[in-house]
Amino acid sequence: MNPAPPATLPALLAREMRLGERLLWTGQPDPRRAMVKPFAFYLFAVPWTAFSLAWETIAVHLAFTDAPALAGVVMTLFGLPFVVIGLAMMAAPFWAYRTATRTIYGVTDRRVVELVSARALKVRSVDAASIGPVTRLQRQGDHGTLTIETGSSRDSEGDRVTDKFVMESVPDVVRAETLVSRLREVTPA
C-alpha cells in the first residue's frame, strides 16, 4: 500500500467506521510540535556522530594506506554501527514530523481510533469499555496530549505496567478530552 497523502487521512478514517458508528471528533498532530521531543536527541547525537565519523575517517585511513593494517579494517567495521546510530538519532525529529503528517485521531460514539498511513495502514483503537482514567497535558493554545489508560499488564520482570493510548500534539485537546470522558461515563462497566 502506498502512503496516503494527508488530504486522504479523513477519508481513510471514515472508511474504518463500524456499522452505525458516528465520528464525533478528528484531529491530526501538529508536525512541528511532534518534532520537539525527539529534537532533544540532537544534544547527544551531534557529538556522537561527529566522534563516530572522526573514528571512521581514521580507521579507513589505517585500513587503506600504503601499509594496510588489520587493525584499521577491524576499527572500520567496529565504528560503522556507531555512525548509523548517530545518523538515526539525528533523523529522529524529521521522522517524527513525517509520522505526524500521516497520523489522524478520531473519537466516535463507541471508541477512540488512531490511524497512521505509512508503508502500511496501521489502525489502533480503544473500545469505550476499555477507557480508564484520562490525563490531559495542554500546552500553549488549544494543542495538547491526551493519555488514556486502557488497562495494565506485567512486564518481563513481573512488574505491573499501565497500558496507555496516547494522542500526541492534537488540536482542540479539551474537546477531545470531553468526548473521551463522556464516552467513558456512558459506557456500562
Side-chain angles (χ1 to χ4, degrees), residues 126-139:
V126 176
D127 289 322
S130 299
I131 295 174
V134 178
T135 305
R136 181 182 83 228
L137 174 61
Q138 188 170 348
R139 295 173 187 86

Side-chain angles (χ1 to χ4, degrees), residues 87-110:
L87 294 174
M89 286 190 294
M90 292 181 72
F94 305 104
W95 190 259
Y97 182 94
R98 182 178 183 271
T99 301
T101 63
R102 298 168 183 269
T103 301
I104 189 167
Y105 299 105
V107 178
T108 74
D109 57 346
R110 298 182 190 170

Side-chain angles (χ1 to χ4, degrees), residues 51-97:
F51 178 79
S52 299
L53 290 172
W55 174 283
E56 282 300 292
T57 302
I58 294 167
V60 167
H61 184 343
L62 285 174
F64 300 106
T65 57
D66 292 333
L70 179 62
V73 174
V74 171
M75 285 176 59
T76 300
L77 294 174
F78 179 79
L80 282 176
F82 293 95
V83 172
V84 171
I85 290 168
L87 294 174
M89 286 190 294
M90 292 181 72
F94 305 104
W95 190 259
Y97 182 94

Side-chain angles (χ1 to χ4, degrees), residues 100-129:
T101 63
R102 298 168 183 269
T103 301
I104 189 167
Y105 299 105
V107 178
T108 74
D109 57 346
R110 298 182 190 170
R111 62 190 173 133
V112 181
V113 182
E114 175 192 48
L115 184 141
V116 181
S117 178
R119 289 186 181 161
L121 184 65
K122 176 183 167 190
V123 181
R124 289 186 327 138
S125 66
V126 176
D127 289 322

